[in-house]
């Protein structure tokens, strides 16, 4: 059976293997675990001068065109009054369902300390246990987390359909769009967005760039941000072996149909990822033209192009994917990483988080892989926390605990622990807290006196503005890191500008695209050549002849 619309963004590895990768990450390539003099001298950044003007990370008005106030774009998000949930001696049970291996499980050794200017970070206990302790200390109420996991978005949806009940889940963007559209998601409370509450780490520290995306994208006229809080994010691209493939060759979706790499590239066994790549390749000339790139409405038009689900486009995508199918080594779920590391293939269509894992592992084996985002466009994706109505069930105490879970994981030290453990990139930039920036420099910054370094601008992630360069957010890094782990986890300003969302499709469009996918992954008889039909007719005729002969023989014997 062909799996439809299945997304596998997490490494499907046993816990001990993931722990090995986690342990390896801190030493692979010695990607500069020391901070530059700029950060060391300040012993952690304090609020910068521009914050006072309302243009920095602290200012939530940054997102609104024309400087609208925060209240102008935050809807009324619930009926709870600042979470005046009564305390009781009863323990709150919080049922959480997350991706497999997608939270720090603790157990770090003493030599794994992340030594930042603002203080050391060490994961001794699991974050689940730390949350339970923190919640009781902070709110005077005991909470017990029942933590479950899922393997794919479709697995999660099936679990919910079959009656599993959770208070809080963490699907990918298209799945939380689906659940929101079905009316199954509990809105976040007004208090969740209160920046005066010192424990509201999410709203105080979410990346302004990513938060704007959640504000600007809607389901049935309501922004994602009313229902969903981002957890991890990334982009799609090509992991490639620079000894076998040039960066120019890897920087286009056409690499998947390039005959030079016949049976040397792999692609995801996922209709959404394949559809996006196909539409990008089919629109290559338009998407890379100077006129299109200079269009004032470039971002919106880019998203419109990549979400074209007209019957004509679906037919063109099917033709392109069927041609690509003959060129790629395989459609893969998780084997692409190993195929790259072992040298079986030269390129692999990959999510950036898994790309980091692949490059880390190859480096451990003594050679380097690189990551390229296609010139046409890249899909920017998200995993986010949502509360389910049938789980929360209008219980203020339970909703307070659920939102506290999101906030606790969004505290910069905990966000860093998760990034270090799982390899994906947190939604959190830290707000006034400098530790995310310090960690980024600790992980990738150049050593003092190191040669072949370049400036690397991440202003957009920390301020929300991709049109300026703020020197406070420009790191000095080894040049090769712009093409490797750093470039995958925090794409350059130029690369991030070429990303867009792949939307959730309604039932009619899903059915049309799924039918196309069956034709691609199975076989479409409409594309059978004349000689194929001849063979099929001959085979059928032979079968009929054999059947007739058998019947005659039976009758003679009677």
């Amino acid at each position: 059976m062909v799996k439809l619309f299945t997304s596998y963004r997490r490494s499907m590895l046993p816990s001990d293997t993931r722990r090995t990768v986690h342990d390896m990450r801190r030493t692979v390539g010695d990607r500069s675990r020391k901070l530059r003099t700029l950060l060391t001298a300040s012993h952690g950044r304090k609020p910068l001068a521009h914050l006072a003007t309302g243009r920095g990370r602290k200012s939530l008005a940054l997102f609104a065109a024309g400087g609208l106030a925060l209240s102008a774009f935050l809807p009324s998000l619930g009926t709870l009054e600042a979470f005046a949930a009564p305390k009781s001696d009863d323990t709150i049970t919080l049922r959480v369902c997350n991706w497999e291996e997608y939270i720090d499980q603790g157990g770090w050794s003493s030599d794994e300390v992340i030594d930042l200017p603002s203080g050391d970070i060490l994961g001794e206990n699991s974050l689940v246990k730390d949350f339970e302790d923190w919640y009781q200390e902070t709110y005077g109420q005991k909470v017990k987390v029942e933590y479950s996991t899922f393997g794919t978005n479709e697995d999660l949806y099936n679990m919910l359909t079959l009656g599993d009940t959770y208070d809080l889940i963490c699907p990918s963007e298209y799945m939380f769009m689906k659940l929101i559209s079905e009316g199954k998601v509990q809105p976040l409370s007004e208090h969740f967005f209160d920046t005066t509450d010192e424990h509201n780490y999410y709203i105080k520290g979410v990346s302004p760039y990513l938060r704007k995306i959640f504000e600007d994208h809607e389901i049935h006229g309501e922004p994602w941000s009313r229902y969903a809080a981002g957890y991890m994010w990334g982009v799609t691209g090509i992991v490639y072996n620079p000894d076998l493939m040039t960066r120019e060759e890897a920087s286009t979706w056409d690499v998947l149909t390039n005959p030079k790499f016949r049976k040397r590239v792999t692609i995801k066994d996922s209709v959404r990822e394949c559809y996006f790549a196909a539409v990008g390749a089919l629109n290559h000339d338009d998407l890379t033209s100077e006129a299109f790139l200079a269009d004032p409405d470039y971002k919106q038009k880019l998203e419109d192009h990549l979400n074209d689900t007209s019957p004509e486009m679906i037919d063109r995508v099917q033709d392109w994917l069927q041609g690509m199918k003959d060129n790629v080594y395989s459609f893969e779920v998780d084997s692409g990483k190993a195929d790259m590391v072992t040298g079986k293939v030269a390129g692999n269509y990959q999510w950036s988080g898994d790309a980091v894992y692949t490059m880390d592992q190859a480096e451990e084996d003594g050679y380097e892989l690189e990551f390229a985002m296609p010139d046409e466009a890249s899909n920017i994706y998200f995993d986010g926390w949502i509360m389910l109505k049938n789980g929360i069930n209008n219980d203020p105490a339970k909703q307070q605990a659920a939102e506290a879970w999101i906030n606790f994981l969004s505290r910069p030290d905990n966000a860093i622990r998760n990034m270090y453990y799982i390899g994906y990139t947190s939604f959190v930039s830290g707000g006034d807290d400098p530790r995310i920036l310090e960690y980024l420099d600790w992980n990738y910054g150049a050593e003092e006196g190191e040669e072949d370094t370049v400036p690397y601008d991440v202003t957009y992630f920390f301020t929300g503005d991709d049109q300026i360069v703020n020197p406070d957010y420009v790191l000095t890094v080894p040049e090769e890191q712009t093409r490797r782990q750093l470039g995958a986890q925090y794409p350059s300003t130029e690369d991030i500008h070429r990303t867009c969302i792949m939307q959730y499709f309604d039932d009619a469009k899903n059915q049309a695209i799924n039918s196309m996918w069956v034709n691609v992954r199975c076989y479409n008889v409409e594309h059978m050549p004349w000689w194929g039909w001849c063979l099929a007719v001959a085979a059928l005729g032979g079968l009929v002849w054999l059947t007739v002969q058998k019947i005659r023989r039976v009758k003679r014997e009677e």
Side-chain angles (χ1 to χ4, degrees), residues 198-356:
E198 64 176 321
H199 302 303
N200 279 355
Y201 299 108
Y202 180 81
I203 197 62
K204 291 162 69 70
V206 62
S207 163
Y209 184 84
L210 300 179
R211 185 185 174 196
K212 188 175 189 299
I213 293 175
F214 271 44
E215 292 289 350
D216 290 347
H217 287 79
E218 298 181 342
I219 291 290
H220 301 321
E222 295 183 307
W224 293 0
S225 58
R226 184 181 181 190
Y227 298 93
Y231 182 51
M232 298 287 166
W233 71 287
V235 295
T236 55
I238 304 295
V239 177
Y240 67 99
N241 186 331
D243 293 334
L244 302 174
M245 181 185 292
T246 68
R247 187 164 186 81
E248 181 179 4
E249 290 168 334
S251 298
T252 173
W253 292 119
D254 285 329
V255 70
L256 299 169
T257 57
N258 188 337
K260 178 179 177 181
F261 303 108
R262 179 175 171 78
K263 304 305 179 183
R264 298 301 308 278
V265 290
T266 56
I267 189 169
K268 288 299 173 192
D269 192 3
S270 166
V271 62
R272 287 179 65 85
E273 274 65 34
C274 287
Y275 193 91
F276 188 97
V279 175
L282 290 167
N283 286 286
H284 172 86
D285 291 343
D286 287 341
L287 297 178
T288 58
S289 69
E290 292 185 7
F292 187 80
L293 293 170
D295 193 304
D297 296 323
Y298 166 78
K299 291 291 285 187
Q300 184 57 55
K301 291 184 177 179
L302 181 69
E303 193 159 307
D304 292 343
H305 269 74
L306 272 298
N307 284 278
D308 183 354
T309 53
S310 63
E312 296 78 15
M313 179 55 72
I314 292 175
D315 287 342
R316 292 178 65 198
V317 166
Q318 177 172 306
D319 291 340
W320 190 88
L321 289 177
Q322 286 178 324
M324 180 210 68
K325 179 180 178 180
D326 294 332
N327 196 67
V328 299
Y329 174 75
S330 69
F331 289 81
E332 56 88 16
V333 172
D334 203 53
S335 61
K337 297 188 289 296
D339 290 340
M340 284 300 304
V341 173
T342 59
K344 187 178 292 185
V345 297
N348 172 226
Y349 180 2
Q350 196 57 269
W351 298 293
S352 54
D354 282 353
V356 171

Side-chain angles (χ1 to χ4, degrees), residues 4-7 150 152-159 174-175:
L4 304 181
F5 272 84
T6 302
S7 175
F150 60 91
T152 72
N153 285 295
E154 285 65 36
D155 287 346
L156 173 63
Y157 190 79
N158 290 337
M159 290 157 63
Y174 77 92
M175 186 54 68

Side-chain angles (χ1 to χ4, degrees), residues 116-135:
L116 305 180
S118 296
D120 293 348
I121 295 175
L122 178 67
E124 298 182 71
N125 305 313
S126 71
L127 278 174
V128 173
K129 175 64 166 59
D130 283 348
F131 167 74
E132 292 173 341
D133 293 342
W134 172 84
Y135 193 83

